[in-house]
Amino acid sequence: MASDAAIGIHDLSFATSEFVLPHTALAEHNGTEVGKYHVGIGQRSMSVAAEDEDIVTLGAAAAAPIIARHGTDEIRTVVFATESSIDQAKSAGVYVHSLLGLPTATRVVELKQACYGATAALQFAIGLVHRDPTQRVLVIASDISKYELDSPGEATQGAAAVAMLVGPDPALVRIEGPSGLFTADVMDFWRPNYREAALVDGQESITAYLQAVEGTWKDYTERGGHALEEFSAFCYHQPFTKMAYKAHRHLLNTCGYDTDDAEIKRAIGQTTAYNAVIGNSYTASVYLGLAALLDQADDLTGKSIGFLSYGSGSVAEFFAGSVVPGYRQHLRTEAHREAIDRRRPLDYAAYRWLHQRSFPADGGDHPTQEQTSGTFRLAALRGHKRIYERH
Ligand code: HMG
């Protein structure tokens, strides 16, 4: 049986939405000095989903290149992590399973714990592969982040999906034990079933995140994890990229180190490139950080990366990954750049219209405008059923 050390991320691909709203447009609308966005929270733009995009189309778009490269034969499980769920019963993963033509002999399930869900999915996938090393697990993290218009959270929206193929002898990153865990019952950010936009106590959420950094690290070290100096880089959950800086500074302080700005930038700077222009993608965020790091860094072969996954409410986990020799041949750097560059800029009015629209709940036939240029689209809500198309 494969050991933990030989299981991890074999392939990683992400997708983001059709549209993008630059923070300059938001600043112009609400009279905010744009430096607050560019410097204060570290965001340049945010992905905005088209009328015919949702977590299913984004998830399918992220996973399709993985299926194209590896086929479907070894995939026996799909775990779909999201906190922007479209149905209280049916897993969004079942729609993706269908759109991608995966075999019927597959288990599919949806997981939720705010932004932490994808890390739970990754750890559960590792357990499944450990039990049966002939199988691979497709983990999909897909979210569209939505706060109220004209609220402080509005500048921290975004949309993206990351798909990861988890298996034995991974080509990219081996995920290692132990994990440092932390759960606390806090109301920092939540979204009751009857609301489309999240509720948040912004400052409380930052404090809760930092407490979780401390709590996971304490548990991680008590369980015999690496020393801080053994890590070459750190991938943090990035609701906005400045949060990763706050978190790493807090971790250094907790460990009794000086918080040298240059050292913090060296440890996390390259992980923020995609999140700074995509925005908060909730479950996908920490793995977009990994994609940005792998795509940009000089050779990381054999290096340890620290991961801090935080989901409001709250659950957090700190764990380590080790970069596998030859990983660079398996990266999707160009496709990732294309996914970002192909987005079409929206003006503020068009963004606001998209933000406010929702399907009527009357069971009628409600086709969507054809806006996305992607392979998968949500064509209609018809008789309360979501109708998807593949081009
Ligand atoms: P705010 O009140 O609009 O902003 O809320 P602020 O007044 O706190 O300013 C933000 C920063 O910009 C400050 O820097 C200012 O000094 C600076 P800091 O003190 O933090 O270092 N600033 C400027 N800098 C340069 N030039 C200027 C300028 N003006 C001000 N002209 C907040 C910001 C993030 C709270 C808000 O956007 C919000 O509520 N966002 C949503 C919540 C959030 O993202 N929380 C993060 C932790 S919780 C989490 O990560 C989980 C989550 O992803 C959900 C999940 O798990 O599912 C959210």
Side-chain angles (χ1 to χ4, degrees):
M1 193 172 278
S3 73
D4 270 359
I7 301 174
I9 303 168
H10 190 58
D11 197 358
L12 186 155
S13 154
F14 79 76
T16 186
S17 59
E18 181 70 20
F19 296 124
V20 60
L21 182 76
H23 276 78
T24 45
L26 185 61
E28 204 173 303
H29 162 76
N30 60 22
T32 299
E33 154 63 38
V34 76
K36 174 172 174 180
Y37 297 147
H38 288 175
V39 181
I41 61 170
Q43 292 302 127
R44 313 293 303 191
S45 59
M46 55 198 192
S47 286
V48 179
E51 191 181 326
D52 52 351
E53 289 180 318
D54 68 2
I55 54 164
V56 168
T57 65
L58 291 177
I66 289 184
I67 302 302
R69 186 185 279 178
H70 304 276
T72 59
D73 289 356
E74 288 161 323
I75 298 174
R76 287 185 57 76
T77 304
V78 177
V79 190
F80 195 106
T82 187
E83 59 171 299
S84 2
S85 196
I86 49 162
D87 194 294
Q88 293 287 21
K90 180 167 175 161
S91 165
V94 174
Y95 295 107
V96 174
H97 173 276
S98 161
L99 287 167
L100 297 179
L102 290 168
T104 54
T106 310
R107 69 166 74 77
V108 183
V109 71
E110 185 170 309
L111 280 188
K112 178 184 70 186
Q113 173 34 56
C115 302
Y116 169 73
T119 297
L122 174 62
Q123 294 294 356
F124 296 168
I126 290 167
L128 285 170
V129 174
H130 195 263
R131 185 174 174 194
D132 172 11
T134 65
Q135 73 158 306
R136 285 170 171 169
V137 177
L138 181 61
V139 169
I140 299 172
S142 183
D143 270 305
I144 296 172
S145 157
K146 214 166 167 186
Y147 293 93
E148 294 287 2
L149 291 168
D150 303 317
S151 72
E154 184 180 14
T156 62
Q157 299 173 114
V162 168
M164 295 181 279
L165 191 61
V166 177
D169 302 321
L172 297 180
V173 178
R174 286 198 299 263
I175 301 299
E176 301 167 342
S179 279
L181 304 175
F182 183 81
T183 288
D185 183 3
V186 283
M187 294 305 283
D188 61 329
F189 166 107
W190 68 107
R191 184 168 70 83
N193 286 344
Y194 50 82
R195 285 184 62 95
E196 272 204 28
L199 294 159
V200 64
D201 180 338
Q203 298 311 325
E204 165 76 14
S205 73
I206 293 171
T207 306
Y209 183 130
L210 296 180
Q211 277 169 356
V213 168
E214 216 173 307
T216 54
W217 181 256
K218 182 172 179 292
D219 189 47
Y220 180 72
T221 44
E222 283 171 4
R223 289 179 167 266
H226 292 301
L228 199 70
E229 316 77 65
E230 293 177 57
F231 290 101
S232 295
F234 294 81
C235 294
Y236 286 91
H237 168 55
Q238 294 171 37
F240 50 94
T241 62
K242 206 55 183 301
M243 190 66 225
Y245 284 82
K246 287 179 191 286
H248 196 56
R249 184 168 292 117
H250 191 72
L251 181 59
L252 291 174
N253 279 332
T254 302
C255 296
Y257 285 99
D258 285 345
T259 49
D260 175 51
D261 284 351
E263 170 50 24
I264 295 174
K265 194 165 175 28
R266 191 208 56 75
I268 63 170
Q270 285 176 318
T271 70
T272 63
Y274 296 155
N275 285 290
V277 292
I278 286 176
N280 194 354
S281 56
Y282 290 158
T283 52
S285 166
V286 66
Y287 301 100
L288 280 183
L290 173 63
L293 176 69
L294 295 178
D295 286 347
Q296 295 176 97
D298 292 339
D299 193 8
L300 288 168
T301 301
K303 300 274 169 58
S304 287
I305 300 171
F307 293 84
L308 186 284
S309 177
Y310 175 79
S312 283
S314 72
V315 178
E317 179 163 345
F318 185 95
F319 61 99
S322 165
V323 182
V324 174
Y327 77 97
R328 287 177 129 177
Q329 292 152 37
H330 306 277
L331 297 178
R332 299 177 177 277
T333 313
E334 204 155 306
H336 290 163
R337 274 203 205 109
E338 257 167 43
I340 288 171
D341 293 347
R342 69 178 270 280
R343 295 173 303 167
R344 291 186 279 148
L346 288 173
D347 62 24
Y348 184 83
Y351 148 76
R352 199 170 173 103
W353 183 85
L354 276 169
H355 193 286
Q356 285 174 317
R357 69 161 289 282
S358 63
F359 282 116
D362 59 6
D365 185 3
H366 302 293
T368 55
Q369 290 182 68
E370 192 153 348
Q371 290 185 325
T372 180
S373 53
T375 308
F376 306 97
R377 65 180 294 269
L378 171 63
L381 183 69
R382 186 175 303 143
H384 295 297
K385 294 176 187 158
R386 295 174 94 83
I387 311 296
Y388 291 98
E389 284 173 356
R390 179 179 182 144
H391 291 295

